[in-house]
């Protein structure tokens, strides 16, 4: 079945602005379902979805699971530990076995870049990438876009800076593609040891100083700093990272305008972001989480063949 | 091409009417090449040949008759991984690709790091009755980079070079000692140039594509740092450093620097580094994963130019068969390497000769004359008295690469489905036909 998105959602890089806009527009009516007392519509009744998580994840897995359940799909969660994967089964065998059980969709999170595409090319079911290595995390990118659009109305010409470990971040890549396609101007800021050497070739502004980034930006997407980066020698210490690159209230107060604060979570409070910022008036971090469910519902709906113009009606139910 | 009356005990072969192309003696002319008793007997300009009724005649009209190709760098996997290649299947694949001799890298299991292991490779090669197989011994015991293997005994047993290929020699001191010790026995040290801390965990060339795909990159400098280190060590020691699979523009510039100063440095390039860029990795294609990785267009152009002007002495395949299952997996976990023996001529011909970067004589030089000279091997010439190792090919014939048809056990080729130009029609080793194309 061909949908406006194709068979799978693997990355934002190959999507057109129209496709991204379609997902965001489709997410709008789905937001409301989560506000109901009975948070369930029958749209995906009878569909089976496997959440195949080869990497630990709480937020993304739970968000997908809520999205699936609120659309009435039957879901199964497979975590890497305790599965045949830990017995040495290859990804291709795992995929074939799932396919043999006649599933409709797979949501995959994997530590290897390209794993979602690998799976998608080998099974007929729809595949949704829930994060592959350091490649992309498209639904995170989409929920960030939706959150920014909620506040800004349009992303056209808006200046958004992605701060932190861009080198190892799939969130950063999905954000860069998504934001640029929606007309935003994208900056990145972080220690050069955590920025890809070729970053400027992606068409983004590069800031060495967080102060300069804050002065420039209308929104900051603050990335999580993985503790293992310090052990691997990319930065000398978390303490210095906070002092040089931390997004602090003091720094934000010197900004010429209010700066919207996003963070994909989970946060290291006191490292890349101060609590006063995370919990402050310009933080939209919890809006991101709420929007995450709606965006994922939209993606599931569209890949299942749902007509975008019927999304509002698809909410169905009489419990309005 | 047909063979004439072959009586029993025929020991004379006439390769009739081909374009005989031998850069070792600046020979390029149509005529007949006569082989007798496993040696080159004579070349006769068209029409001048005299030969008896008992000569076997092979019609070579329209074809190029060249000294047999020699691949100084391939992985035949035996002992240890006979499921992916054996010395016999590798030697036969070599013959199909027009190679009359190959050098087998020692990163087998166990490692070919002693005289008995070298003897084993030699014997298996002789039994294969295909391309000649010359063993390369390890530089260090177990290729572990700690202590030197016994070069003297390995050379006496038939090793033609030493290498820890597959792994870099991380210790500059060990490389220095290896160059000095190898000099004693007159053999080259074949060098896998990779600075291990810079390359660690890398899956492809570091650049825009690796950034987009989210794959850890291997910077050019990981190769170039070792290239200059070992050129300098060759200058210090007077040893012969042979730089394997050169892939970057920077490496080419450093080799040029070394050669200008008379340092004993030679270098090879692989067909894939002459034809493909990092873009081939797009879509996480594991058949485009090798080490060193495919680089940028600017690198490919520089390496091509270096093959043309001789800065890079020769073309070698780095033939590296892997099992289907090993390549059918996540990109970062897939092993490095591709098969290359059966496509080498066609790839070099298609990407270098066809566009006019090099002529056919240069191709024959880089694939036959120069490898023989660089590694001091028999062959590489059609002079009277040379071994009768001959490759006959059609430089214009197009064919579609179907890895399923490879004689090698490996199917891991990035050229599957490509239409290439240049086909080996016949391969002769020591006067005996070891491969003849059908149809």
């Amino acid at each position: 079945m061909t949908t406006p998105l194709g068979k799978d959602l693997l990355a934002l890089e190959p999507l057109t602005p129209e496709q991204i806009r379609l997902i965001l527009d489709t997410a709008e009516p789905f937001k409301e379902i989560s506000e109901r007392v009975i948070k369930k519509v029958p749209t995906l009744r009878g569909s089976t979805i496997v959440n195949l998580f080869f990497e630990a994840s709480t937020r993304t897995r739970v968000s997908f699971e809520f999205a699936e359940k609120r659309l009435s799909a039957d879901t199964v969660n497979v975590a890497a530990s305790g599965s045949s994967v830990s017995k040495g089964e290859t990804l291709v065998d795992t995929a074939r076995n799932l396919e043999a059980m006649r599933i409709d969709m797979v949501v995959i999170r994997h530590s290897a870049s390209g794993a979602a595409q690998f799976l998608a090319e080998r099974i007929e079911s729809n595949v949704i990438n829930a994060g592959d290595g350091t490649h992309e995390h498209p639904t995170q990118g989409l929920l960030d876009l939706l959150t920014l659009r909620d506040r800004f109305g349009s992303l056209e010409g808006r200046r958004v800076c992605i701060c932190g470990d861009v080198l190892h971040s799939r969130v950063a890549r999905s954000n860069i593609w998504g934001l640029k396609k929606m007309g935003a101007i994208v900056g990145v800021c972080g220690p050069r040891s955590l920025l890809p050497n070729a970053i400027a070739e992606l068409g983004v502004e590069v800031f060495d100083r967080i102060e300069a980034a804050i002065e420039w930006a209308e929104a900051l997407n603050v990335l999580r700093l993985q503790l293992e980066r310090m052990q691997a020698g990319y930065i000398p210490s978390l303490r210095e990272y906070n002092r040089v690159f931390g997004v602090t209230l003091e720094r934000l107060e010197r900004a010429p305008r209010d700066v919207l604060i996003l963070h994909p979570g989970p946060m290291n409070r006191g490292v890349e972001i101060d609590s006063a910022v995370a919990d402050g008036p310009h933080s939209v971090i919890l809006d991101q989480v709420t929007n995450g469910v709606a965006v994922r519902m939209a993606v599931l709906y569209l890949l299942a063949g749902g007509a975008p113009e019927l999304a509002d009606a698809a909410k169905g139910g009489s419990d309005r | 091409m047909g063979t004439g009356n072959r009586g029993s005990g025929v020991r004379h072969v006439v390769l009739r009417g081909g374009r005989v192309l031998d850069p070792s003696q600046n020979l390029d002319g149509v005529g007949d090449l006569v082989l007798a008793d496993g040696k080159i007997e004579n070349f006769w300009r068209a029409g001048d040949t005299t030969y008896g009724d008992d000569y076997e005649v092979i019609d070579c009209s329209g074809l190029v008759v060249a000294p047999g190709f020699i691949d100084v760098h391939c992985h035949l996997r035996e002992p240890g991984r006979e499921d992916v290649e054996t010395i016999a299947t590798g030697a036969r694949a070599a013959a199909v690709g027009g190679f009359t001799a190959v050098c087998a890298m020692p990163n087998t299991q166990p490692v070919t790091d002693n005289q008995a292991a070298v003897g084993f490779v030699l014997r298996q090669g002789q039994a294969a009755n295909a391309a000649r197989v010359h063993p390369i011994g390890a530089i260090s015991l177990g290729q572990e980079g700690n202590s030197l293997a016994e070069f003297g005994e390995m050379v006496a047993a038939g090793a033609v070079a030493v290498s820890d290929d597959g792994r870099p020699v991380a210790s500059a001191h060990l490389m220095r000692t290896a160059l000095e010790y190898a000099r004693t026995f007159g053999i080259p040290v074949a060098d896998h140039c990779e600075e291990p801390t810079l390359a660690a965990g890398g899956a492809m060339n570091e650049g825009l594509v690796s950034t987009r795909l989210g794959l850890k990159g291997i910077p050019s400098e990981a190769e170039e740092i070792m290239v200059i280190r070992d050129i300098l060590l060759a200058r210090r020691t007077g040893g012969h450093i042979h730089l394997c699979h050169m892939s970057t523009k920077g490496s080419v510039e450093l080799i040029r620097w070394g050669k200008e100063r008379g340092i004993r440095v030679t270098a090879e390039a692989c067909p894939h580094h002459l034809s493909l860029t990092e873009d081939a990795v797009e879509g996480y294609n594991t058949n485009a994963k090798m080490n060193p990785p495919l680089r940028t267009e600017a690198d490919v152009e520089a390496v091509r130019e270096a093959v043309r002007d001789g800065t890079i002495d020769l073309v070698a395949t780095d033939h590296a068969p892997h099992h289907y299952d090993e390549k059918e997996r996540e990109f970062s976990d897939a092993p490095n390497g591709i098969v290359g023996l059966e496509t080498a001529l066609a790839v070099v011909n298609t990407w270098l000769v066809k566009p006019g970067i090099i002529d056919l004589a240069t191709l024959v030089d880089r694939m036959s004359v120069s490898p023989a000279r660089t590694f001091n091997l028999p062959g590489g010439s059609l002079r009277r008295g040379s071994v009768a190792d001959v490759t006959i090919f059609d430089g214009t014939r197009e064919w579609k690469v179907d890895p399923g048809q490879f004689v090698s056990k490996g199917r891991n080729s990035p050229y599957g489905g490509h239409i290439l130009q240049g086909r080996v029609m016949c391969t002769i080793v020591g006067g005996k036909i070891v491969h003849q194309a059908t149809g």
Side-chain angles (χ1 to χ4, degrees):
Chain A
M1 176 165 38
T2 53
T3 77
L5 299 183
K7 180 174 91 70
D8 314 293
L9 179 68
L10 304 177
L12 296 191
E13 186 185 357
L15 295 192
T16 62
E18 291 69 34
Q19 287 173 313
I20 291 174
R21 205 167 289 121
L22 176 74
I23 298 170
L24 300 183
D25 291 346
T26 307
E28 288 297 340
F30 284 124
K31 281 181 183 175
E32 184 262 335
I33 295 171
S34 298
E35 306 302 328
R36 299 180 190 174
V37 179
I38 297 171
K39 302 173 177 59
K40 208 172 181 77
V41 293
T43 315
L44 290 187
R45 195 160 58 195
S47 284
T48 20
I49 303 178
V50 176
N51 298 316
L52 188 58
F53 277 64
F54 293 94
E55 255 187 2
S57 156
T58 305
R59 184 177 317 231
T60 303
R61 188 182 55 73
V62 169
S63 180
F64 265 109
E65 206 176 339
F66 274 135
E68 292 153 3
K69 290 199 150 94
R70 286 174 192 178
L71 292 172
S72 299
D74 293 320
T75 66
V76 176
N77 293 325
V78 181
S81 57
S83 73
S84 47
V85 174
S86 55
K87 296 171 194 157
E89 186 173 78
T90 63
L91 184 54
V92 66
D93 282 334
T94 304
R96 286 186 187 133
N97 278 281
L98 290 172
E99 183 95 294
M101 290 181 226
R102 304 289 180 260
I103 51 161
D104 297 295
M105 285 194 203
V106 180
V107 176
I108 178 176
R109 155 74 60 97
H110 198 287
S111 60
S113 299
Q117 180 175 342
F118 180 92
L119 190 73
E121 286 167 356
R122 282 159 184 81
I123 63 175
E124 285 177 29
S125 317
N126 309 106
V127 174
I128 300 174
N129 182 6
D132 62 326
T134 56
H135 175 224
E136 282 216 39
H137 189 352
T139 56
Q140 178 72 44
L142 290 165
L143 73 89
D144 291 342
L145 293 177
L146 186 62
T147 307
L148 288 165
R149 199 175 75 163
D150 285 349
R151 293 300 175 113
F152 289 147
S154 161
L155 288 166
E156 192 67 44
R158 295 290 184 166
R159 296 187 303 277
V160 182
C161 188
I162 301 159
C163 305
D165 183 5
V166 175
L167 183 64
H168 299 98
S169 176
R170 52 194 172 212
V171 176
R173 284 168 181 73
S174 286
N175 262 268
I176 290 170
W177 298 121
L179 287 164
K180 283 171 62 76
K181 283 170 198 283
M182 299 311 287
I185 304 164
V186 184
V188 298
C189 176
R192 290 281 178 166
S193 55
L194 288 176
L195 298 181
N197 217 241
I199 187 70
E201 292 176 57
L202 295 183
V204 300
E205 308 237 358
V206 181
F207 296 96
D208 286 318
R209 310 290 308 184
I210 191 73
E211 293 83 358
I214 288 171
E215 194 182 323
W216 174 84
E218 295 168 89
L220 298 183
N221 197 344
V222 187
L223 301 173
R224 171 181 167 77
L225 186 77
Q226 309 271 7
L227 302 181
E228 54 263 36
R229 302 301 168 227
M230 193 183 71
Q231 288 141 17
Y234 287 97
I235 52 166
S237 71
L238 297 181
R239 194 189 62 83
E240 175 165 293
Y241 185 87
N242 179 253
R243 286 177 68 107
V244 181
F245 292 99
V247 178
T248 62
L249 199 57
E250 193 192 5
R251 287 187 168 126
L252 284 177
E253 278 168 351
R254 279 195 233 116
R257 69 187 74 75
D258 290 342
V259 180
L260 218 55
I261 302 296
L262 293 86
H263 192 297
M267 288 184 281
N268 296 309
R269 288 169 180 262
V271 182
E272 71 269 7
I273 190 166
D274 277 6
S275 288
V277 174
D279 303 331
H282 305 300
S283 164
V284 289
I285 295 171
L286 292 176
D287 298 327
Q288 290 175 272
V289 178
T290 307
N291 279 339
V293 178
V295 153
R296 288 171 179 125
M297 288 170 86
V299 169
L300 292 164
Y301 174 76
L302 290 171
L303 287 183
E309 61 277 14
L310 297 177
D312 204 27
K315 294 192 299 181
S318 51
D319 51 340
R320 294 208 155 201
Chain B
M1 175 181 347
T3 54
N5 57 328
R6 68 171 85 214
S8 59
V10 169
R11 297 169 76 186
H12 291 64
V13 180
V14 182
L15 307 178
R16 191 168 64 192
R19 175 184 171 192
V20 178
L21 192 52
D22 177 13
S24 80
Q25 47 179 332
N26 289 319
L27 172 62
D28 183 357
V30 174
D32 303 344
L33 190 71
V34 182
L35 317 178
D37 297 325
K39 304 276 188 206
I40 307 288
E41 191 181 79
N42 218 339
F43 168 69
W44 301 85
R45 294 275 166 188
D48 292 351
T49 318
T50 54
Y51 46 85
D53 296 343
D54 57 340
Y55 280 39
E56 178 177 345
V57 178
I58 299 178
D59 178 16
C60 296
S61 48
L63 305 177
V64 176
V65 177
F69 299 157
I70 298 171
D71 183 11
V72 300
H73 189 150
C74 65
H75 300 273
L76 302 184
R77 303 296 188 215
E78 184 182 355
R81 285 304 303 274
E82 293 83 354
D83 60 323
V84 295
E85 196 80 292
T86 64
I87 290 170
T89 58
R92 283 202 290 273
V96 171
F99 291 99
T100 53
V102 297
C103 299
M105 280 295 178
N107 61 335
T108 47
Q109 300 163 10
V111 171
T112 307
D113 63 359
N114 60 77
Q115 57 179 341
V118 167
F120 170 78
V121 172
L122 202 60
R123 282 193 305 281
Q124 293 294 87
Q126 283 159 355
N129 249 326
R132 301 173 197 270
V133 177
H134 300 295
I136 295 176
I139 292 172
S140 65
L141 284 176
Q143 291 193 311
E144 284 172 357
N146 297 319
S147 48
L148 287 183
E150 290 162 338
F151 294 5
E153 290 186 343
M154 291 195 294
V155 169
V160 298
V162 288
S163 181
D164 272 359
D165 185 66
R167 290 186 184 184
V169 176
S171 158
H173 170 72
L174 184 72
M175 181 52 89
R176 176 203 171 139
T177 317
L179 281 164
E180 287 170 331
Y181 199 56
R183 190 181 168 186
T184 317
F185 303 101
I187 53 166
V189 175
D191 190 5
H192 173 109
C193 296
E194 177 184 348
E195 204 295 310
T197 62
L198 270 180
M204 68 171 297
N205 182 48
E206 179 175 325
L208 181 58
V209 181
S210 70
T211 300
R212 285 181 35 244
L213 296 180
L215 293 170
K216 187 158 195 299
I218 302 173
S220 312
E221 289 76 9
E223 175 174 309
E224 293 153 3
I225 285 168
M226 293 305 239
V227 165
I228 192 60
R229 183 197 79 173
D230 295 342
I231 289 174
L232 293 172
L233 290 174
R235 180 174 72 176
R236 166 62 51 184
T237 60
H240 174 188
I241 193 81
H242 174 76
L243 305 171
C244 299
H245 41 54
M246 289 292 96
S247 71
T248 80
K249 187 172 183 227
S251 292
V252 167
E253 288 164 0
L254 294 168
I255 296 163
R256 216 165 262 145
W257 181 90
K259 288 193 165 183
E260 280 164 6
R261 279 153 188 79
I263 300 168
R264 288 184 73 196
V265 52
T266 56
E268 72 192 30
C270 304
H272 44 274
H273 290 128
L274 294 166
S275 55
L276 304 175
T277 68
E278 59 183 355
D279 293 343
V281 175
E282 212 61 66
Y284 302 95
N285 176 13
T286 58
N287 282 332
K289 183 179 179 184
M290 67 284 289
N291 189 17
L294 298 173
R295 306 284 188 182
T296 67
E297 190 62 44
D299 293 307
V300 173
E301 278 171 18
V303 177
R304 282 179 188 150
E305 170 59 20
V307 167
R308 188 196 67 76
D309 73 11
T311 301
I312 286 178
D313 302 80
L314 59 98
V315 171
T317 66
D318 197 6
H319 176 80
H322 289 290
H323 196 276
Y324 173 81
D325 287 341
E326 295 174 299
K327 282 287 195 181
E328 178 75 354
R329 57 179 313 165
E330 301 89 314
F331 191 88
S332 50
D333 296 340
N336 288 309
I338 59 166
V339 292
L341 287 169
E342 293 168 72
T343 50
L345 166 74
V347 169
V348 176
N349 189 56
T350 302
W351 270 279
L352 275 78
V353 179
K354 243 175 99 179
I357 298 167
I358 63 172
D359 57 16
L360 268 182
T362 306
L363 177 145
V364 172
D365 180 79
R366 306 298 187 254
M367 294 186 72
S368 173
V369 181
S370 174
R373 186 178 58 234
T374 304
F375 275 55
N376 195 24
L377 303 172
S381 177
L382 298 178
R383 275 206 183 85
R384 188 183 174 91
S386 299
V387 290
D389 289 6
V390 184
T391 298
I392 302 163
F393 65 93
D394 182 341
T396 59
R397 182 180 287 229
E398 293 195 334
W399 59 291
K400 187 173 178 178
V401 180
D402 175 6
Q405 299 295 312
F406 285 162
V407 171
S408 165
K409 288 189 179 186
R411 301 284 178 266
N412 47 312
S413 168
Y415 301 106
H418 281 246
I419 304 222
L420 303 182
Q421 198 178 67
R423 182 107 208 188
V424 174
M425 304 309 291
C426 184
T427 309
I428 297 170
V429 174
K432 280 170 46 185
I433 296 172
V434 294
H435 166 68
Q436 196 157 14
T438 49

